[in-house]
Amino acid sequence: MPALRAAAISLAASAVYAYPTTEPSGAPTISLPNTAEGASIPHSNSFASFSFEPAFWVEFFGNASNPNKLTFSVLDRIHEHGGRPVIRPGGITMDSMVFDKEGGDVVRTTSPEGGVWRTTVGPNYYKSWSNFPNGTKFISTLNFGNESLDISTGLAVASLTYQSDKVAYLELGNEPTNYKESRWNDSTAAYVQEWKQYTASIDAALDALNSSDLPQERWWASSATTDDSGLEVRPAALIPAGIDSEDQVGIYSIHSYAFSTCDPKRAALATIENILNHTELTRYCDEEIYPSARAALDAGNRWNIGEFNSVSCSGAPNVTDTFAQALWVVDSELIYATRNATSTHLHQGATLALQSNEQLNTPGANGSPGFSTYSMLYPRDSDLRGPARTLPSFVAQLFMAEAFAVPDTRVRALEPPAGVDSESFSAYAFYVEDHLAKLALVNMKPYYANSTEDFSVRVDLSEAVSSGGGCLGVKRLTAPFVNTGNSSLVSWAGQSFPQGEAIGKAVVEAVGEDNVVDVRGSEAVLAFFDKNDAYGL
């Protein structure tokens, strides 16, 4: 029989199993360990989570009485496919956020150019959390930038007053590496001292409420970028400085932006080819992120990517608003999963005019939001970005939701098949209860309309099938080309989601008797070996 691409079955059909043929396929075989020994920590179905810029909360989510239908349709699809993302209302604007008990919806105070000076939240902001899918947890994000304990405490108390059962952790400040140097004079010890003073006082105020089940280890710590700012507040520096001397740190959070359009020099590097270079993505993780992550793990703590995306300063038009971003999301999040991050919080927002005076992106007319091109959706119509819609990268969330849908899934990176370039191809095995459950193959070689070949990689799954007992089939993440910008043309398992609702019949491709999977350039596939792990089967 021909390779996998030739067959497709409806999700309504019964499961299809295929077993190894006795004749060699001629395609390279991928080597797979039979057990999870040496794989990652067990991951939850909240691994792929989000960070939404709080200044644009109403644009993305509406309010308590009038929720944004598109955004919640998107979140509903993720939940349907098995994901349970945690929501961090975080980013630069959390450090100018204040609580007003007499206030209504979230209100931005801005410059004429759209720079956010203040974000005022009232009770309705917290009440809007009830619109999210059942079971959604939140990070209570607190303003540390204004250096006001009253403001920080007010936000913390409000979050527990209105949504005590929805708060998973507290976080004080966003990227202190970007604060004024004069505040701590590049002293890690001075930062730790003030952070501990604030968190101790806030803890006392929250404990007095008697309405929270928050554990003692309730704080995210660090929340720093990898930028060399002079102030070292990543876990490798904070831990020996005693930030967790009172056992209050639950997770060390690190922010990750490997590329940028904050200035012309870096913007020139933010290309499709560069963001899809698996070798460089891995190098960035291992050199810029993992040393501090390792420090947290060695101290017996957990770590996460508390905020990240591909290209800082709101993305790169014609790069991050294309299908390339979907492939980047899948590969980047799986790289961090194999290095034992507990979660990854993909940033969603809009251009911040005060972030850089050289940045490529700008707000819309009259300071209106210029939604970030790296977001998974444009939540509202705008003159700058056009009609509200999902972006091609949204389908990556469904891929990740299904990959980690089963609690305690462990993952490991695999060597590519012989002769396949590791710079543009990655593979990951997923294990549940010590047996192979899924296999991800990601071909990041950019495929364009004018490409002279399709860069397909044929992979023999015989070893996986023999160890897993049979392959149910494969779901495919694909688009006509890597730079496709129309989400109607992008699909996950045969369906597109331009307005959050599925269009088309979902399909699972059947594996032929030769056990070969064909992955074209600019595609990713997820193979399933356990019926209980596959959404729709």
Side-chain angles (χ1 to χ4, degrees), residues 402-469:
E402 295 196 39
F404 289 104
V406 179
D408 297 328
T409 292
R410 301 174 67 186
V411 60
R412 75 163 87 243
L414 304 172
E415 291 295 323
V420 176
D421 187 358
S422 61
E423 188 171 277
S424 58
F425 190 90
S426 60
Y428 303 89
F430 301 82
Y431 299 85
V432 175
E433 295 182 352
D434 207 37
H435 71 267
L436 179 68
K438 303 182 186 81
L439 175 68
L441 304 174
V442 188
N443 187 345
M444 293 184 287
K445 185 70 174 179
Y447 173 62
Y448 296 96
N450 62 354
S451 294
T452 57
E453 60 176 300
D454 67 7
F455 309 110
S456 288
V457 173
R458 301 178 76 244
V459 180
D460 188 337
L461 299 186
S462 294
E463 186 172 328
V465 170
S466 61
S467 65

Side-chain angles (χ1 to χ4, degrees), residues 291-302:
S292 272
R294 183 74 259 172
L297 294 170
D298 288 346
N301 296 107
R302 296 182 295 163

